[in-house]
Amino acid sequence: MVFSQMAKIVVIAGMAAATSAQALTITEVVPGQLTAFSWSIAGTIITIDETWGPTTPGAVSLRFSDLSGDPTNYTIFKNIRNNTGATWESFGHELLDNQSGPSNDNDGLSFAQGAGIPRLSTNFSNVLVDEFGTRDYLNWFTGSVLNNQTVTFQYGLRNSASVEPFLLRQTANVPEPASWALLIIGFGVVGGVMRRRGPAIA
C-alpha cells in the first residue's frame, strides 16, 4: 500500500500550495455517459472520481476549461470504478484539443512532461508513454480491473500555452471477441488431448 500512503502525503502537500487555477472546470463531453462523476482541486492536486456503468461506452472524454496558459504542474489522482460487467485489460489516457485533434509535443499541453510526477496505477504495472511525436498519451497495461473494482491512476498535467479548452480521452480496453474464441478453443484442445490419454498407469 505504498501507493496509498504516498498519495495521502502528496494530497496534504498539495492542499498547502496556492494555485491560480481555482476557476478550473471539468465536465463530461457527452453528459450522462458515466454513472457517477465528480472532481475537486486542492492546491496543485486534481482529484477525479468516476463510475463506469453497463451503458458507458469504451471511451469517455472529459473537457477541461480555464487552465490555459498556466505553467503549473498539476498532479491528477483519478479513481475509476468499473461497474461495466467486463474486465479491463488496459486503460489509456490521451490529451486532445477541443476539436478532438491530437495534442502534439509543441502545443504546451502535456502530462507534465519532465516534471518528475510519478505515473502510477493500482492495477496495472506498466505504462506506454508517447509524448515526443504528434500525440500525448499514457496507456497502462499488464494487469486488469475486474467488474466492481476501482482503479486509481496518478499522473501530471500542464497547459502552459493557449490550448483551451482541451479534452482528456479515456479508453478502457476489454478482450476482443476473437481472443475469447481462441482461448475457448485452446481449452477445448487441451481437454481433448487429456481425455485421449486415458488414465495414468501406476
Side-chain angles (χ1 to χ4, degrees), residues 16-88:
T19 180
S20 61
Q22 295 300 329
L24 170 70
T25 59
I26 306 174
T27 56
E28 292 180 71
V29 171
V30 180
Q33 289 186 327
L34 298 172
T35 304
F37 171 71
S38 64
W39 66 275
S40 62
I41 182 170
T44 59
I45 306 296
I46 300 171
T47 302
I48 302 172
D49 295 296
E50 305 173 9
T51 300
W52 292 40
T55 61
T56 302
V60 173
S61 294
L62 302 179
R63 179 177 285 112
F64 285 65
S65 301
D66 300 316
L67 200 63
S68 175
D70 189 338
T72 305
N73 292 312
Y74 292 92
T75 299
I76 300 284
F77 283 100
K78 183 190 292 284
N79 307 301
I80 305 176
R81 179 81 174 170
N82 176 10
N83 285 348
T84 63
T87 297
W88 297 339

Side-chain angles (χ1 to χ4, degrees), residues 81-183:
R81 179 81 174 170
N82 176 10
N83 285 348
T84 63
T87 297
W88 297 339
E89 291 192 332
S90 65
F91 200 97
H93 296 78
E94 181 171 7
L95 294 172
L96 305 171
D97 64 28
N98 197 35
Q99 285 74 44
S100 296
S103 165
N104 62 57
D105 194 44
N106 300 313
D107 63 5
L109 176 62
S110 73
F111 289 111
Q113 183 176 339
I117 297 173
R119 293 163 175 175
L120 303 171
S121 167
T122 54
N123 294 58
F124 299 105
S125 57
N126 291 306
V127 60
L128 177 65
V129 179
D130 180 2
E131 54 191 355
F132 296 109
T134 58
R135 298 174 64 189
D136 285 317
Y137 71 79
L138 305 172
N139 188 33
W140 273 273
F141 61 100
T142 311
S144 64
V145 183
L146 304 177
N147 188 48
N148 295 322
Q149 275 191 328
T150 298
V151 56
T152 297
F153 297 100
Q154 177 190 352
Y155 52 86
L157 181 66
R158 179 176 62 239
N159 186 17
S160 58
S162 59
V163 181
E164 182 66 27
F166 64 90
L167 308 181
L168 175 65
R169 180 177 171 85
Q170 310 165 101
T171 308
N173 297 305
V174 299
E176 296 287 334
S179 299
W180 283 113
L182 286 173
L183 190 62

